[in-house]
């Protein structure tokens, strides 16, 4: 452990390096000595590395002298807490414009609850724009809390109104889960007579379609006890009888020493890799911060899983989508009465904000691409991709002729033969019409199988060479039959498999392969208008088997997008153990030795 003199000397050396000034007194103000938002971010990084802790940006802003920063660091090192926790601070400055800015850019936190993901972006925008971040103070999460995206948006709008007096033009920027939060904020600001200038969604998912790291439905004492009991090597924390969630986590904190903290961080990050991406220094936090960061992540994540966007705004929406991501979703088009612009950014979901890609992302935020406009339409279809005619399909089949055989059938015969095949435990690739845009198969590019077999999900995963990896499955059913099989609530349709609904008890044993352990399913409905051939297939299959739906999942391999062209479909077909492929009117099988 460093002495007081060593800690103070280290802080002074870091200030000298960042400010390029060796003549600094203990009461020198960081910003008066030439500091900036960019330099404060650099200093923040250096401090956290030097002392193996995780200071918040807001704490650094308030500790503007070496003396005050020393006190905060020393208290953090010796008492596991800063001198003055900033539980209510949610708005932090990230970059400043040199002159009078056209608008104030507000960057909303991701699923971690923090704004560190915007660090490289702030570096690029320094001097060009006023950029502020909105974060959730980690001190509020000694235990997980029930949050909602709408509730967070209301809190953040209140913070904006308190922080910025008078008329102010806002551009809201949301990366990842920050996008849905930004949309809800935009709605609230419009309701209060303060419409935003633009909403920028940076590779934001329409819905958070990821498995929960701990299968949390609600943070009840029973659930938290079951979760914590999994980590038996923590010992037996002294939970009092009838302990609340808060009491349980306080008891755990007394047992989380440095080795236990590192082991728990590793197990949590292995269980849910997203946590490792958004909180990379989890193990380096002190014990108090560690508990708070984990539970802040869990709380925000669960709020995201429970959220679905509703309503519209009048501001334009800019969709900045990563080329190696699957987060683009055309449903965003339906949530504004203004223009929607889509611009592709080279990279994946995370790299578009790293140091190498941040310049391009910053330019896209500052200067929207007016050549890439897509105007709002009253009716938006996800089937926006290319469509191949029979001649193109047959030409492609001939190119693969040494590996596959095929038969061209009239439409009704295709449906009849495929329905007959699906009465068995087979896996079929289904390729029809235009490709879907987005992360899901929606009737035209999918894998189909019979949900009457309890182990059919494992069969599919094994045959496409992805055993053990998460893959969303959904029962796909005619919209007219949905209410018979599922408890659909107030609606009768679910064209996107994003809503989890109960399976009616009498159908649990009819579709066991598509029913979750808790008796629910992520149902997708189709109609003759949306997918006429698939609708016909469902009718024929149901007539043959008495099973009212099929099970479907996106047609792709690990790390690959959904198959788009006939060649893509054939490549995937030959690289996997999928049994049959339906390409338009063509039923395709593998030649001997090609599987």
């Amino acid at each position: 452990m460093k002495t007081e003199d060593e800690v103070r000397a280290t802080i002074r050396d870091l200030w000298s390096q960042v400010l390029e000034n060796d003549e600094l007194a203990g009461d020198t103000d960081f910003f008066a000595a030439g500091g900036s938002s960019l330099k404060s971010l650099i200093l923040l990084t250096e401090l956290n590395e030097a002392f193996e802790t995780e200071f918040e940006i807001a704490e650094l802003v308030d500790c503007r002298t070496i003396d005050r920063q020393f006190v905060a660091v020393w208290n953090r090192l010796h008492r596991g807490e800063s001198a003055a926790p900033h539980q209510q601070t949610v708005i932090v400055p990230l970059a400043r414009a040199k002159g009078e800015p056209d608008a104030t850019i507000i960057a909303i936190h991701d699923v971690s609850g923090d704004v560190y993901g915007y660090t490289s972006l702030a570096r690029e925008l320094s001097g060009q724009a006023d950029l502020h971040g909105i974060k959730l103070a980690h001190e509020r999460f000694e235990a997980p809390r029930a949050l909602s995206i709408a509730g967070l948006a209301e809190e953040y709008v209140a913070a904006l109104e308190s922080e910025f007096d008078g008329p102010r033009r806002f551009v809201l920027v949301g990366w990842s889960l920050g996008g849905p939060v930004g949309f809800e904020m935009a709605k609230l600001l419009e309701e209060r007579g303060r419409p935003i200038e633009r909403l920028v969604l940076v590779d934001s998912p329409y819905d958070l379609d990821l498995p929960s790291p701990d299968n949390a439905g609600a943070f009840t004492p029973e659930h938290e006890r079951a979760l914590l009991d999994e980590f038996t090597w923590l010992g037996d924390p002294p939970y009092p009888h009838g302990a609340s969630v808060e009491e349980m986590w306080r008891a755990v904190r007394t047992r989380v020493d440095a080795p236990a903290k590192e082991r728990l961080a590793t197990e949590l990050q292995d269980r849910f890799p997203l946590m490792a991406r958004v909180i990379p220094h989890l193990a380096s936090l002190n014990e108090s911060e560690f508990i708070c960061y984990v539970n802040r992540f869990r709380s925000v994540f669960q709020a995201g899983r429970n959220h679905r966007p509703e309503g519209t705004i009048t501001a334009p929406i800019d969709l900045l989508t990563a080329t190696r991501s699957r987060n683009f979703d055309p449903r965003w088009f339906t949530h504004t009465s203004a223009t929607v612009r889509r611009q592709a950014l080279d990279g994946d979901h995370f790299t578009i904000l790293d140091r190498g890609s941040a310049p391009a992302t910053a330019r896209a935020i500052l200067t929207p691409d007016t050549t890439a406009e897509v105007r709002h339409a009253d009716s938006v279809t996800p089937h926006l991709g290319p469509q191949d005619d029979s001649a193109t399909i047959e030409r492609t089949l001939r190119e693969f002729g040494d590996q596959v055989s095929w038969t061209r059938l009239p439409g009704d015969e295709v449906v009849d033969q495929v329905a007959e095949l699906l009465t068995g435990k087979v896996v079929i690739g289904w390729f029809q019409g235009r490709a879907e845009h987005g992360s899901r198969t929606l009737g035209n590019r999918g894998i189909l199988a019979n949900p009457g077999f309890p182990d059919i999900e494992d069969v599919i995963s094994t045959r496409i060479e992805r055993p053990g990896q998460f893959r969303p499955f959904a029962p796909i059913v005619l919209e007219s039959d949905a209410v018979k099989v599922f408890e659909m609530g107030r609606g009768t349709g679910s064209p996107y498999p994003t809503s989890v609904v109960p399976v009616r008890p009498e159908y649990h044993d009819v579709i066991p392969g598509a029913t979750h352990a808790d008796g629910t399913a992520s149902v997708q409905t189709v109609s003759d208008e949306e997918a006429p051939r698939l609708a016909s297939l469902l009718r024929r299959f149901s007539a043959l088997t008495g099973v009212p739906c099929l099970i479907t999942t996106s047609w792709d391999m690990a790390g690959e997008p959904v198959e788009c062209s006939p060649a893509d479909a054939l490549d995937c077909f030959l690289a996997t153990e999928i049994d049959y492929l339906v390409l338009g009117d063509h039923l395709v099988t593998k030649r001997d030795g090609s599987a």
Side-chain angles (χ1 to χ4, degrees):
M1 181 69 69
K2 291 183 177 182
T3 66
E4 291 188 29
D5 288 343
E6 288 171 335
V7 171
R8 191 183 297 275
T10 299
I11 295 173
R12 188 183 300 277
D13 289 341
L14 293 177
W15 276 52
S16 296
Q17 293 172 23
V18 173
L19 296 175
E20 299 179 337
N21 184 347
D22 294 328
E23 298 179 0
L24 297 170
D27 60 355
T28 299
D29 184 280
F30 180 80
F31 293 98
S36 63
S37 298
L38 174 59
K39 289 182 179 180
S40 68
L41 286 170
I42 296 172
L43 179 60
L44 178 73
T45 302
E46 297 294 335
L47 280 168
N48 286 330
E49 289 181 1
F51 295 107
E52 296 183 347
T53 185
E54 195 74 11
F55 270 100
E56 301 285 346
I57 296 174
E59 293 176 273
L60 180 60
V61 170
D62 281 358
C63 298
R64 295 172 61 150
T65 67
I66 292 175
D67 290 340
R68 293 181 63 183
Q69 207 162 91
F70 162 76
V71 172
V73 171
W74 185 256
N75 286 337
R76 176 71 62 88
L77 294 176
H78 288 268
R79 294 205 297 270
E81 57 186 22
S82 61
H86 298 270
Q87 294 200 19
Q88 302 306 316
T89 301
V90 294
I91 299 180
V92 291
L94 298 177
R96 296 287 190 190
K98 289 182 179 179
E100 187 67 26
D102 292 333
T104 298
I105 301 175
I106 305 296
I108 302 127
H109 66 75
D110 57 40
V111 69
S112 73
D114 225 313
V115 293
Y116 289 119
Y118 295 104
T119 300
S120 294
L121 182 66
R123 189 177 290 115
E124 291 299 322
L125 292 177
S126 180
Q128 301 185 70
D130 266 5
L131 174 66
H132 290 75
I134 290 187
K135 62 178 284 295
L136 267 172
H138 71 270
E139 293 90 349
R140 298 163 59 179
F141 293 89
E142 291 186 346
R145 300 174 58 196
L147 303 175
S148 71
I149 298 299
L152 291 176
E154 189 165 352
E155 177 181 335
Y156 300 159
V157 167
L160 286 181
E161 292 177 332
S162 174
E163 181 78 11
F164 301 103
D165 295 329
R168 177 79 64 136
R169 297 166 62 197
F170 291 122
V171 173
L172 301 185
V173 175
W175 170 62
S176 194
L177 190 59
V181 180
F183 174 72
E184 296 298 325
M185 291 174 64
K187 287 197 303 182
L188 285 172
L189 286 165
E190 287 189 358
E191 290 173 5
R192 300 179 186 187
R194 299 188 65 177
I196 66 169
E197 184 173 296
R198 284 184 293 130
L199 173 63
V200 184
L201 305 179
V202 184
D203 210 51
S204 293
Y206 187 84
D207 48 63
L208 194 60
D209 177 32
L210 290 170
S212 171
D214 52 19
N215 298 315
F219 301 117
T220 62
E222 294 76 18
H223 175 270
E224 297 303 286
R225 183 183 294 274
L227 171 69
L228 294 169
D229 284 349
E230 292 184 32
F231 306 110
T232 55
W233 43 266
L234 278 172
D236 187 16
Y239 303 139
H241 179 70
S244 67
V245 171
E246 291 77 11
E247 289 169 330
M248 287 182 188
W249 278 99
R250 278 198 293 271
V252 169
R253 196 168 88 179
T254 66
R255 299 295 179 94
V256 180
D257 56 13
K261 180 185 63 176
E262 292 184 9
R263 185 171 178 180
L264 185 55
T266 299
E267 290 201 17
L268 287 170
Q269 291 177 335
D270 286 345
R271 177 186 293 202
F272 197 62
L274 179 60
M275 187 179 288
R277 296 301 299 265
V278 298
I279 319 176
H281 304 302
L282 185 61
S284 68
L285 302 173
N286 66 44
E287 286 72 17
S288 176
E289 291 172 319
F290 178 86
I291 296 295
C292 291
Y293 272 63
V294 167
N295 284 322
R296 180 175 62 178
F297 172 89
R298 295 175 64 217
S299 302
V300 177
F301 182 92
Q302 193 63 29
R305 291 184 79 224
N306 294 335
H307 180 71
R308 295 293 180 273
E310 294 181 355
T312 60
I313 59 176
T314 60
I317 295 178
D318 291 329
L319 298 177
L320 307 184
T321 55
T323 56
R324 295 192 295 278
S325 169
R326 299 167 62 182
N327 278 333
F328 169 67
D329 196 310
R331 284 176 289 179
W332 281 118
F333 295 173
T334 66
H335 291 288
T336 178
S337 58
T339 298
V340 178
R341 292 178 289 253
R342 183 188 178 198
Q343 183 174 344
L345 299 173
D346 187 35
D348 63 28
H349 182 66
F350 294 96
T351 61
I352 56 173
L353 282 182
D354 67 14
R355 185 170 296 186
S357 300
T361 305
R363 286 194 299 271
I365 292 172
L366 290 174
T367 55
D369 182 2
T370 57
T371 66
E373 292 191 355
V374 179
R375 294 211 171 265
H376 168 77
D378 292 332
S379 177
V380 176
T381 173
H383 302 121
L384 303 173
Q387 179 174 5
D388 298 278
D389 57 22
S390 292
T392 301
I393 290 173
E394 290 192 358
R395 184 169 60 251
T396 306
L397 284 167
R398 287 194 294 271
E399 293 172 359
F400 287 78
D402 59 336
Q403 301 176 81
V404 298
S405 301
W406 66 90
T407 304
R408 183 173 183 180
L409 301 166
D412 290 345
E413 288 190 30
V414 169
V415 168
D416 290 344
Q417 287 208 26
V418 174
E420 186 70 39
L421 291 170
L422 284 167
T423 62
K425 192 181 285 188
V426 299
V427 178
I428 292 180
W430 182 257
F431 185 104
Q432 302 290 324
R434 288 189 175 277
E436 300 98 343
H437 271 268
S439 60
R440 299 293 192 92
T441 175
L442 298 169
N444 285 1
R445 301 287 188 276
I447 291 172
L448 302 177
N450 184 342
F453 297 101
D455 62 342
I456 196 64
E457 289 188 7
D458 292 335
V459 171
I460 296 171
S461 295
T462 299
R463 293 190 187 177
I464 59 177
E465 300 176 355
R466 289 181 63 171
Q469 294 189 0
F470 172 73
R471 166 176 283 270
F473 292 91
I476 188 165
V477 63
L478 288 168
E479 184 174 336
S480 56
D481 289 340
V483 294
K484 178 178 70 176
V485 185
F486 306 97
E487 296 179 16
M488 299 295 291
R490 290 176 295 177
T492 59
S494 177
Y496 301 90
T498 57
S499 298
V500 178
V501 299
V503 180
R504 294 192 182 277
E506 60 268 30
Y507 282 94
H508 284 190
D509 293 334
V510 179
I511 55 170
T515 303
H516 300 157
D518 63 356
T520 63
S522 302
V523 65
Q524 179 185 355
T525 59
V526 296
S527 65
D528 289 292
E529 292 75 20
E530 296 163 341
R533 181 165 287 184
L534 182 57
S536 295
L537 175 62
L538 284 164
R539 290 191 184 90
R540 182 62 180 148
F541 174 75
S542 181
L544 289 173
T545 63
V547 178
C549 58
L550 293 167
I551 191 169
T552 185
T553 187
S554 57
W555 188 1
D556 59 348
M557 295 179 66
E560 298 293 330
V562 174
E563 310 307 331
C564 181
S565 69
D568 293 338
L570 285 161
D571 282 335
C572 182
F573 180 55
L574 292 167
T576 64
E577 296 180 15
I578 293 174
D579 298 291
Y580 299 93
L581 168 62
V582 184
L583 275 176
D585 294 331
H586 303 77
L587 181 60
V588 185
T589 57
K590 298 168 186 172
R591 292 186 182 275
D592 291 341
S594 296

